[in-house]
Amino acid sequence: MNYTQNYHLPQWEENDRVMRTDFNSAMAALEDGLTDNAETAAKALELPYATGTYTGNGDTISIQTGFRPRFLIVSAQDLVSQDYYIGRIAIIGESNFQKMVSFHSNSFSVKWIAAGSGTPSFPRLNAAGTVYNYIAFR
């Protein structure tokens, strides 16, 4: 009988006798591997932050995080200079961002506010077609 290179799982030849113990060992190895992967994935969900991207729509957009963010950092690429810049920071309770950013139980929303609306339009957190990167902290 041959075995796979990475996980030492049985590879029976045509004339090999399939043994119950070989089969059970292979299935136990698969079970252990799947369990380890599931545990690793579950730990990733416990991180104190979530990262991702969204594309602005020029209106209001909701981004799912799986928890209520307490702090948010958003950055985008400057389409003129092609430079990345950070400085678009919203914190719950910060008065000049309350109309632009809303925090919900499993998400946050960003709203486009046009210049001249009586509310500061900077930082622009939802310009249509702009790709934004975010880090949302628990």
Side-chain angles (χ1 to χ4, degrees), residues 44-67:
L45 295 175
E46 296 171 9
L47 290 174
Y49 60 87
T51 62
T53 62
Y54 66 92
T55 302
N57 64 8
D59 191 16
T60 300
I61 190 168
S62 181
I63 295 87
Q64 298 296 314
T65 58
F67 57 87

Side-chain angles (χ1 to χ4, degrees), residues 74-86 88 122 124 127 129-133:
V74 178
S75 69
Q77 186 172 9
D78 184 325
L79 298 178
V80 176
S81 68
Q82 298 298 306
D83 292 329
Y84 281 91
Y85 53 94
I86 298 178
R88 301 168 182 208
F122 188 82
R124 293 174 187 89
T130 299
V131 176
Y132 296 88
N133 302 297

